[in-house]
Amino acid sequence: MKKKVLAFLIIGFAFAAFVADKDALFVVPQNWTAPSYDFKNNALTIDKIELGRRLFYDPILSRDNTISCNSCHSQYTAFAHVDHALSHGIDARIGKRNSPTLMNLAWQKSFMWDGSVPELDAQPTAPISNPDEMDEKIENVVAKLNDSKMYRALFYNAYKDSVASKKLLSKALSAFMLTFVSANAKYDSVMRGEAAFTAQENKGYELFQKNCSSCHTEPLFTNSEFKNNGLPMDTSLNDVGRMKLTKKEEDKMMFKVPSLRNIEFSYPYMHDGRFKKLSDVVKHYTSGIEKSRTLSKELENKIVLSSNEKVDLISFLLTLTDRSFLFNPKFNDPKNIVYNK
């Protein structure tokens, strides 16, 4: 199989098994459903992925050439950030939400904590134009790319068109991010019959299935829905969640359910990064739920866990760490390139 041909197979039934060849650019993991992303409009090639990779790490996308996508989405933290609760942009500006993880994006149907971006190809331009993040106009980014001899060549290699555009910029970044597939944690090895949980991990898994799985649905560990998880509103941010987008009272404090994959490394937690430790998260769900009219029905009844059970649950959550994803050299900054040339 040629490397530049999209290695993407879809079987017309759920939970199909796929066997990858070593050169596959995108593979649906065993027992996963078919992705939501329409690859027909952006068939993957090595050249598209490599263009997106360079753009992802290049601060040329920001107004003052200081902030890149990687600034808020580090590979080693599941493409989130851990050094502060809220996103930071140019001129030391502080955003209003925690940067979400970037993984298994091909299965997502909406993006951002409030679902304000309906498709992956539209997502990359949102932080570029956000005044608290990159604070740049798309037309200025496109102009900078077209002034670059390197990027003109890379766009031609990827799309047979040396002229950069908003559409091609977004598709190239999407191409790179689509390769962020995390499906090789210990949990996955157990599901494939290649490993076994410890007694403690197995107890934690049972607790997870009983108390958490309705929202954090396997194997993605999210149902991609919007839920009010009982967090008291941070009055300094006054973030009402999805209600800000829909203007509907029933969406107040609704935020997208995040994936729990690689949660060991993707702290701080919640939409505003208020919790630094997994134990803080578990404590919230057992004793910190704030009742309200829009509270998720799954949380209406109190979750009761003993001290030992809390440890067991966290032990299971640690099996969702995928080190082959976190340290995959294919996602690294291509340090040998000279940016903005």
Side-chain angles (χ1 to χ4, degrees), residues 63-170:
R63 175 173 55 77
D64 59 0
N65 295 341
T66 62
I67 300 294
S68 69
C69 301
N70 176 67
S71 298
C72 285
H73 298 283
S74 170
Q75 176 185 355
Y76 308 116
T77 57
F79 291 100
H81 62 73
V82 300
D83 55 338
H84 39 257
L86 304 174
S87 62
H88 284 200
I90 66 170
D91 303 327
R93 297 176 188 175
I94 300 176
K96 295 179 174 59
R97 290 174 180 166
N98 178 262
S99 295
T101 58
L102 301 178
M103 57 185 166
N104 302 327
L105 301 177
W107 285 267
Q108 294 190 29
K109 297 180 179 179
S110 64
F111 301 86
M112 305 300 191
W113 281 103
D114 57 6
S116 56
V117 178
E119 58 182 23
L120 182 59
D121 289 350
Q123 190 279 330
T125 58
I128 292 175
S129 57
N130 189 310
D132 290 328
E133 297 184 52
M134 296 182 176
D135 192 31
E136 180 61 294
K137 296 179 179 179
I138 298 300
E139 54 266 33
N140 291 343
V141 173
V142 170
K144 286 188 282 186
L145 295 174
N146 284 322
D147 283 340
S148 163
K149 182 178 180 180
M150 179 191 76
Y151 276 117
R152 288 199 302 273
L154 290 173
F155 271 93
Y156 182 81
N157 291 341
Y159 293 102
K160 304 308 176 189
D161 188 346
S162 62
V163 179
S165 65
K166 176 182 177 180
K167 179 179 179 180
L168 296 184
L169 165 67
S170 296

Side-chain angles (χ1 to χ4, degrees), residues 40-306:
K40 294 178 182 178
N41 293 326
N42 194 25
L44 297 188
T45 67
I46 288 178
D47 288 327
K48 291 177 184 177
I49 293 170
E50 285 304 307
L51 170 57
R53 182 184 180 190
R54 283 157 170 75
L55 289 165
F56 188 88
Y57 284 96
D58 197 338
I60 195 174
L61 302 184
S62 63
R63 175 173 55 77
D64 59 0
N65 295 341
T66 62
I67 300 294
S68 69
C69 301
N70 176 67
S71 298
C72 285
H73 298 283
S74 170
Q75 176 185 355
Y76 308 116
T77 57
F79 291 100
H81 62 73
V82 300
D83 55 338
H84 39 257
L86 304 174
S87 62
H88 284 200
I90 66 170
D91 303 327
R93 297 176 188 175
I94 300 176
K96 295 179 174 59
R97 290 174 180 166
N98 178 262
S99 295
T101 58
L102 301 178
M103 57 185 166
N104 302 327
L105 301 177
W107 285 267
Q108 294 190 29
K109 297 180 179 179
S110 64
F111 301 86
M112 305 300 191
W113 281 103
D114 57 6
S116 56
V117 178
E119 58 182 23
L120 182 59
D121 289 350
Q123 190 279 330
T125 58
I128 292 175
S129 57
N130 189 310
D132 290 328
E133 297 184 52
M134 296 182 176
D135 192 31
E136 180 61 294
K137 296 179 179 179
I138 298 300
E139 54 266 33
N140 291 343
V141 173
V142 170
K144 286 188 282 186
L145 295 174
N146 284 322
D147 283 340
S148 163
K149 182 178 180 180
M150 179 191 76
Y151 276 117
R152 288 199 302 273
L154 290 173
F155 271 93
Y156 182 81
N157 291 341
Y159 293 102
K160 304 308 176 189
D161 188 346
S162 62
V163 179
S165 65
K166 176 182 177 180
K167 179 179 179 180
L168 296 184
L169 165 67
S170 296
K171 285 184 176 294
L173 283 165
S174 291
F176 178 51
M177 292 190 292
L178 284 165
T179 67
F180 297 175
V181 177
S182 180
N184 199 32
K186 180 178 181 178
Y187 160 85
D188 300 295
S189 296
V190 173
M191 295 301 108
R192 294 194 297 262
E194 302 166 356
F197 288 136
T198 66
Q200 185 178 54
E201 290 166 349
N202 197 58
K203 290 179 182 178
Y205 184 36
E206 292 174 355
L207 290 167
F208 171 84
Q209 290 180 308
K210 177 182 178 181
N211 297 292
C212 316
S213 62
S214 58
C215 291
H216 296 284
T217 311
E218 301 170 66
L220 294 172
F221 288 89
T222 174
N223 58 11
S224 296
E225 296 178 7
F226 301 92
K227 298 286 186 177
N228 177 345
N229 67 344
L231 285 173
M233 183 185 293
D234 183 334
T235 55
S236 66
L237 296 173
N238 290 319
D239 190 346
V240 295
R242 190 163 169 78
M243 178 182 170
K244 182 179 179 181
L245 174 70
T246 66
K247 312 302 181 185
K248 296 179 180 179
E249 185 69 27
E250 58 265 34
D251 287 330
K252 187 175 182 178
M253 296 303 293
M254 294 281 196
F255 295 93
K256 190 174 182 181
V257 176
S259 174
L260 298 183
R261 283 185 172 271
N262 298 299
I263 194 170
E264 177 184 3
F265 287 88
S266 61
Y267 58 89
Y269 307 111
M270 305 300 176
H271 67 278
D272 53 9
R274 70 177 66 188
F275 297 138
K276 294 182 179 180
K277 300 177 181 179
L278 279 175
S279 57
D280 296 330
V281 176
V282 174
K283 182 179 179 181
H284 163 71
Y285 284 111
T286 55
S287 60
I289 299 294
E290 181 177 271
K291 300 287 186 177
S292 69
R293 190 172 65 84
T294 62
L295 178 67
S296 172
K297 61 180 178 60
E298 291 86 356
L299 298 174
E300 290 176 352
N301 296 320
K302 185 177 181 179
I303 296 175
V304 179
L305 298 175
S306 68

